[in-house]
Amino acid sequence: MSEKSAAHVDWESRIGKPSDVRLTGVGELPAPGRVSAEDGTGHVLLNWAPVDGALGYLVHRADTAEGPFDPLDHLGGDVLAVPHPPYADTLAEPGRRYHYKIATWSDSGAGELSEAVTGGAAAAGERPAEVTVAVDAAAPTTELPRVWNRMIGAEHFSLLIWDKPGAGGSDVAAEYAQALGIVRDELGVRSVRAHGTFLPETVSVRPDGSFDFSGLDQVYDRFLATGLKPVVELSFMPKELAADPDYTVFDYKALVSTPADWERWGDLCRELTVHLQERYGRDEVAGWEFEVWNEANLEVFWNGTQDDYHRLYEVAVRAVKGVDERIRVGGPSSAAAGWVGALLEHCRTHDVPVDFVSTHTYGNAPLDFRPMTRAFAESTGRPEPEILWTEWGVTPTHFHRVSDSVFAAPFVLRGMKSALASTDCLAYWVASDQFEELGWPPRLFHGGFGLLTVGNLRKPRFWALYLLSQLAGGRAPAAVTGDGAEALVEAVATRAEDGSTLDVLVWNGTLDQSKIDGSAALDRTATVRVTGLAPGARYTVSSRRVDEAHANIRAVWDDLGGGEWPDDQQWEKLRDADRLPEESLGAVAADADGAAVLTVDLPNPGIRFLHLARG
């Protein structure tokens, strides 16, 4: 079979065919009720009543009441379903009326359409539309789940021993290791998922059939020295074990064939586990996740069937668990939220262990798989599997300019806020632009997946995650009202236990990637009203911003003349600009009712981080 290339993947069809496997307790879902459409500046705000058991919702739109009603495509290149209301249709043209219907999305695809509602977008006025962020500083706080820093993605770990000059003359191994240190120290990342545990440079088969893990030892020794933990992705297939040794993907020719001998696949997974324990300790390895394969529901990553993947999974998990039951194993590590229900059903039917379900999506907030994992637990009496989104990002497309844009920064915050209640981990793909899959970076700003450029400059997306990590204390109630509330403009607030500080992170963004360069109609003025303060108490206020004019390293590069790679003088200027300045907004005092008010500009796309310190 000829070599496959991910460059040829039709990313628009990643969602594939919905599984026809149904879990007990997940039945037919009704159409959403109480659907509404509210005319807004630059958008139409859609809302509806959530449906129990829905994993997400598809928003449909038509130009006439008769239809046809087609799902709205916000150009994210992947799953179109959103996890919950509200939804802002920013593709709507001002002055036009549209008709909308909503359908649930479940493991068997889209459900029936709701009744239609009508709405239209309004043109921008002379001044930005307004929103209010209400924060209750007196209410009891709750835990803020840090779903963003449990795990992050990275290119294959063997880059840590790369010994050839990289893109732009960079030192690949040194910069890759430095990038891991940056996400560890500045974002709080604890573990890293990378492809290719079984690549030729890490694992080989000796003439006598035994496995040689010496290359993996060198790589893992260097990786573990960073203080991070690996997610052991059981992929790809060693050539000596492959049914089709010519079926490869990526520039580094990862072999993605089914095994020629399933027993040998089990031997590989078992002996890997034993070897890792002997080298790094049983208790250490027991704290790592083992994930079976990568995106087997895409032909480009797997030449077998879904049943073949289930066999691959079952052989692997039984091999690993046979060494140590404590090791957490899961899958299907699928593209576009696919195959999750099918794997759970296979595990339920055949009594196969599954500690977590993992899947991927891009260009959207992650769906809510809790109905499915809860149904699995109820039907089996086993613990509910965790939900790990082991790949997530603004786009699945290599070399897409959205990856370097400010647009991606509020997108990251929207996804993370959405995931707080529904997932255990939302791992951004990836840490660094030191990335080989479809070719090395041709220039500094090339639309790479990395939060960090070659040279480890911080992109706007990085700063979004950094600001999340700066939220201190417990989560305080924060509600947004006004034009585009909770769909364009959202907020998260935290308060120190002793009340000495309050942090408010507010952002303005859209899923609509036709607005990569921003939209004046979607700019907002945000009034932040904090209640529950001690009357008369004074607070110093500082602010940090991410928008086109702040913390936007790509704009700095453009101002320096752009081009492919910086010279020494340009690198010096870029590194000097690679920061997120803090600016003082003076002081505010709570009034007699214990309320303090701040008003800030909030462009689209844009982020504001407000820190109030009592003094």
Side-chain angles (χ1 to χ4, degrees):
M1 182 169 292
S2 62
E3 178 183 335
K4 298 290 180 181
S5 169
H8 299 149
V9 174
D10 177 8
W11 293 106
E12 296 297 327
S13 65
R14 282 168 58 94
I15 194 167
K17 295 181 179 179
S19 168
D20 59 2
V21 179
R22 304 302 298 276
L23 284 168
T24 301
V26 181
E28 296 295 334
L29 299 176
R34 302 204 304 273
V35 181
S36 65
E38 180 181 343
D39 297 354
T41 305
H43 74 289
V44 181
L45 187 68
L46 284 303
N47 219 324
W48 57 90
V51 177
D52 287 343
L55 308 183
Y57 304 88
L58 278 171
V59 178
H60 294 68
R61 192 180 78 180
D63 293 330
T64 67
E66 293 74 27
F69 284 84
D70 296 316
L72 269 177
D73 185 352
H74 38 254
L75 309 178
D78 209 336
V79 179
L80 300 184
V82 295
H84 52 73
Y87 176 86
D89 174 16
T90 59
L91 289 159
E93 298 178 16
R96 291 187 61 181
R97 304 297 289 175
Y98 298 94
H99 305 267
Y100 297 92
K101 295 183 178 183
I102 313 296
T104 58
W105 193 91
S106 71
D107 194 42
S108 24
E112 294 184 6
L113 291 171
S114 69
E115 295 295 322
V117 294
T118 303
E126 293 183 3
R127 305 172 70 178
E130 298 180 354
V131 294
T132 297
V133 181
V135 180
D136 186 349
T141 61
T142 58
E143 181 184 2
L144 178 64
R146 295 184 175 257
V147 298
W148 62 87
N149 66 12
R150 174 169 169 174
M151 184 188 303
I152 202 167
E155 183 61 293
H156 54 88
F157 287 147
S158 51
L159 290 194
L160 286 166
I161 58 172
W162 194 267
D163 58 1
K164 297 183 287 292
S170 61
D171 182 332
V172 174
E175 286 193 5
Y176 183 89
Q178 183 187 45
L180 295 182
I182 290 171
V183 298
R184 176 199 63 213
D185 296 340
E186 298 184 28
L187 305 183
V189 168
R190 304 194 301 274
S191 66
V192 184
R193 173 184 179 266
H195 297 327
T197 301
F198 300 139
L199 287 173
E201 63 266 31
T202 51
V203 176
S204 59
V205 182
R206 300 185 182 99
D208 65 359
S210 62
F211 299 109
D212 182 354
F213 297 110
S214 58
L216 187 68
D217 294 343
Q218 184 182 9
V219 169
Y220 265 39
D221 286 354
R222 293 195 182 185
F223 173 77
L224 290 167
T226 67
L228 295 160
K229 296 185 182 297
V231 176
V232 183
E233 185 187 280
L234 298 176
S235 72
F236 295 104
M237 195 65 63
K239 186 173 184 177
E240 295 84 355
L241 272 61
D244 184 349
D246 296 318
Y247 198 94
T248 63
V249 68
F250 297 145
D251 280 17
Y252 56 86
K253 298 187 184 302
L255 218 163
V256 289
S257 167
T258 56
D261 184 332
W262 291 91
E263 185 175 346
R264 289 286 285 154
W265 166 250
D267 291 342
L268 174 62
C269 295
R270 182 181 306 105
E271 292 185 31
L272 169 74
T273 308
V274 170
H275 180 82
L276 292 173
Q277 287 185 332
E278 290 175 346
R279 190 169 185 86
Y280 304 113
R282 287 179 57 85
D283 291 342
E284 171 66 25
V285 175
W288 302 352
E289 284 100 0
F290 282 52
E291 185 180 36
V292 182
W293 213 253
N294 174 71
E295 298 191 350
N297 60 329
L298 296 184
E299 181 185 0
V300 71
F301 287 116
W302 181 240
N303 70 346
T305 65
Q306 187 178 66
D307 287 341
D308 289 332
Y309 172 75
H310 291 161
R311 186 177 183 184
L312 185 87
Y313 176 85
E314 183 171 348
V315 171
V317 70
R318 294 197 189 282
V320 173
K321 292 282 192 180
V323 177
D324 192 337
E325 281 283 350
R326 297 177 298 169
I327 296 175
R328 300 178 59 75
V329 188
S333 185
S334 53
W339 285 18
V340 173
L343 178 63
L344 287 173
E345 182 63 17
H346 178 84
C347 293
R348 184 185 70 83
T349 303
H350 299 282
D351 194 25
V352 179
V354 56
D355 297 304
F356 61 85
V357 292
S358 61
T359 188
H360 310 154
T361 194
Y362 288 87
N364 206 338
L367 300 174
D368 185 353
F369 276 97
R370 289 176 299 174
M372 194 171 290
T373 55
R374 288 170 179 170
F376 173 83
E378 291 169 2
S379 66
T380 62
R382 297 190 227 165
E384 183 178 346
E386 286 192 300
I387 300 170
L388 309 183
W389 292 83
T390 54
E391 281 187 33
W392 177 73
V394 69
T395 180
T397 304
H398 294 71
F399 312 121
H400 194 307
R401 71 186 185 95
V402 72
S403 294
D404 298 329
S405 70
V406 175
F407 175 99
F411 166 88
V412 165
L413 296 182
R414 176 175 176 81
M416 291 297 176
K417 179 174 182 279
S418 178
L420 293 177
S422 64
T423 71
D424 297 287
C425 166
L426 186 55
Y428 202 90
W429 186 261
V430 289
S432 169
D433 275 352
Q434 291 291 2
F435 197 79
E436 184 188 4
E437 285 186 356
L438 296 188
W440 293 102
R443 55 191 176 277
L444 180 62
F445 290 102
H446 62 283
F449 288 138
L451 297 169
L452 301 162
T453 69
V454 171
N456 287 329
L457 302 171
R458 294 153 182 81
K459 299 182 189 180
R461 288 178 282 136
F462 177 92
W463 291 123
L465 291 173
Y466 174 81
L467 289 173
L468 270 175
S469 74
Q470 296 303 296
L471 290 167
R475 187 177 182 183
V480 184
T481 56
D483 198 332
E486 303 293 1
L488 297 173
V489 178
E490 299 177 273
V492 174
T494 56
R495 190 197 73 219
E497 185 176 352
D498 62 3
S500 60
T501 64
L502 184 81
D503 295 323
V504 183
L505 181 58
V506 58
W507 61 91
N508 182 5
T510 173
L511 295 176
D512 169 17
Q513 292 195 17
S514 72
K515 307 296 187 298
I516 289 176
D517 297 318
S519 168
L522 301 179
D523 291 348
R524 296 293 183 264
T525 297
T527 297
V528 179
R529 179 178 172 81
V530 182
T531 58
L533 302 172
R538 290 180 59 82
Y539 292 81
T540 59
V541 183
S542 62
S543 169
R544 284 180 276 190
R545 291 191 262 180
V546 181
D547 53 40
E548 290 295 331
H550 300 86
N552 180 10
I553 197 69
R554 173 60 193 264
V556 176
W557 177 233
D558 290 343
D559 288 344
L560 292 173
E564 292 187 356
W565 296 102
D567 58 28
D568 290 346
Q569 187 178 26
Q570 289 171 322
W571 271 120
E572 183 177 352
K573 291 180 178 178
L574 286 166
R575 295 196 191 288
D576 184 61
D578 184 27
R579 53 196 177 89
L580 183 63
E582 186 174 61
E583 54 188 312
S584 173
L585 298 186
V588 295
D591 63 19
D593 295 322
V597 177
L598 297 160
T599 300
V600 294
D601 296 329
L602 194 61
N604 184 299
I607 300 172
R608 278 273 194 167
F609 184 95
L610 300 173
H611 177 72
L612 284 72
R614 187 168 180 175

